Amino acid sequence: MSVSTSTPREGVAVVTVDQPPVNALPVRTWYALADAVTAAGRDPAHRAVVLTGTGRGFNAGVDVKELQRAADHSALIGANRGCAAAFCAVYECEVPVVAAVHGHCLGGGIGLVGSADAIVATRDATFGLPELDRGALGAATHLSRMLPPHLVRPLYYTGRTLTAAELHHHGAVWALAESRSALLETALELAARIAAKDGYLLRLAKEALNGIDQADVRRRYRYEQGFTFEANLAGVSDRHRDAFLDRRAGDGSRP
C-alpha cells in the first residue's frame, strides 16, 4: 500500500508514504495521503502525527510520467487538486504534524513540510523547488513559511537546493538526526512531547495558530497553481517535462 498509518507510541500516529523508487506521487496517492492525515488527526486517540516516507527520499513531488502519459489535461488537474488536498490536510490536521525528512524533499515535498507544524531531518537531507525546470509553479507559498523572502526568491528562480543543516541554521528545521536510522526516533521524541499535552487543548492550539497565520495558505497556493495552468496552455510545460524525463532516462541516480 502506498500510504499506511501506524501508532508506535501512545497518542502518536505515523503516516508513511511508500511509492518506489523516489516517492514521486501519482494523483491517487496524493489523495490517499490527504485522507490518511485527516483521519489520523481526527482520531481522538491521537494528539500528534508524524509524516514520513520510505526509500531514497521523503518526496520527489508529482509523478511527471503520469502527466506526460495523459492525452489531455486530466492528470494535471488531478495532480494540482491532489497536491492541494494533501497540503491542506497537513496544514489543517486537527493535531500538530511533524514531518520527518530524509534524502530529497522536492516540489510537492516542500508543500508537505511547509504545511507541517515542525520538521526534523537527517543532516544531509536536501530541500528544493525545481518547479521552473519541470514547467510548473507552486509551493512557494509553503517555502515562504519556512524561509525569509529574499532567500525564497533566488532559491525559487534558480532551483537550488538547501541541506537540512542550512535550514536548521535559518530556524526552519527543529532538529537534525545524524542518521536515517535515528530520524524516526528523533521525530517521535518531539511528537511524544507534544502528545503529552491535553488533547483538547492541543486541538484548540492548532486551530488558533492557523487562525492567526499571516498567510492564507489554501488561497495562496491555488493562486500559484493558476500560473501552472497558464504555462501548460502556452505549451511551455510539456517541453520542460519531456526534457526532465530525458535527463532521468540518462541518469538513473536522479529523483
Side-chain angles (χ1 to χ4, degrees), residues 94-113:
E94 293 183 24
V95 299
V97 177
V98 178
V101 180
H102 75 284
H104 51 264
C105 178
L106 303 172
I110 295 293
L112 293 172
V113 300

Side-chain angles (χ1 to χ4, degrees), residues 12-16 48-52 96-100 120 184 187-188 190-192:
V12 179
V14 176
V15 175
T16 304
V49 171
V50 173
L51 175 61
T52 191
V97 177
V98 178
V120 299
L184 185 58
L188 286 172
L190 174 57

Side-chain angles (χ1 to χ4, degrees), residues 4 27 67 98-99 107 116 122 125 133 140-141 148 177 181 187 203 206 220 245 249:
S4 60
V27 172
L67 297 182
V98 178
T122 55
D133 292 332
T141 291
S181 61
R203 283 170 164 78
K206 177 65 182 279
R220 285 172 58 167
L245 292 177

Side-chain angles (χ1 to χ4, degrees), residues 1-235:
M1 186 174 180
S2 297
V3 182
S4 60
T5 304
S6 59
T7 310
R9 294 195 184 182
E10 183 181 358
V12 179
V14 176
V15 175
T16 304
V17 180
D18 181 15
Q19 188 77 42
V22 295
N23 281 331
L25 307 188
V27 172
R28 68 179 185 279
T29 306
W30 286 112
Y31 281 110
L33 174 56
D35 290 343
V37 171
T38 298
R42 186 171 293 151
D43 189 329
H46 299 152
R47 298 184 296 281
V49 171
V50 173
L51 175 61
T52 191
T54 63
R56 288 162 52 185
F58 173 77
N59 189 281
V62 303
D63 183 350
V64 176
K65 288 183 179 180
E66 182 180 45
L67 297 182
Q68 295 309 88
R69 285 195 300 265
D72 54 21
H73 291 308
S74 59
L76 174 67
I77 294 170
N80 276 18
R81 288 192 173 275
C83 284
F87 302 166
C88 287
V90 174
Y91 183 75
E92 296 170 359
C93 182
E94 293 183 24
V95 299
V97 177
V98 178
V101 180
H102 75 284
H104 51 264
C105 178
L106 303 172
I110 295 293
L112 293 172
V113 300
S115 298
D117 295 272
I119 305 167
V120 299
T122 55
R123 188 174 292 275
D124 60 351
T126 55
F127 298 75
L129 281 178
E131 306 307 277
L132 299 189
D133 292 332
R134 308 290 194 271
L137 292 95
T141 291
H142 307 90
L143 190 62
S144 296
R145 299 188 73 239
M146 301 162 61
L147 295 168
H150 282 85
L151 184 54
V152 168
R153 288 180 178 234
L155 288 173
Y156 197 84
Y157 296 147
T158 64
R160 180 194 158 190
T161 59
L162 292 181
T163 66
E166 289 175 301
L167 286 179
H168 184 261
H169 172 76
H170 289 286
V173 168
W174 172 265
L176 296 170
E178 295 301 325
S179 66
R180 170 81 183 276
S181 61
L183 175 63
L184 185 58
E185 184 61 29
T186 303
L188 286 172
E189 286 176 3
L190 174 57
R193 288 174 61 185
I194 294 170
K197 304 301 181 183
D198 183 280
Y200 185 81
L201 291 176
L202 277 173
R203 283 170 164 78
L204 290 181
K206 177 65 182 279
E207 187 174 357
L209 287 171
N210 281 7
I212 65 171
D213 205 326
Q214 295 182 3
D216 183 338
V217 176
R218 182 187 288 267
R219 181 188 62 79
R220 285 172 58 167
Y221 179 59
R222 293 297 281 168
Y223 177 81
E224 283 189 82
Q225 286 186 318
F227 292 99
T228 295
F229 283 113
E230 182 175 331
N232 275 269
L233 292 174

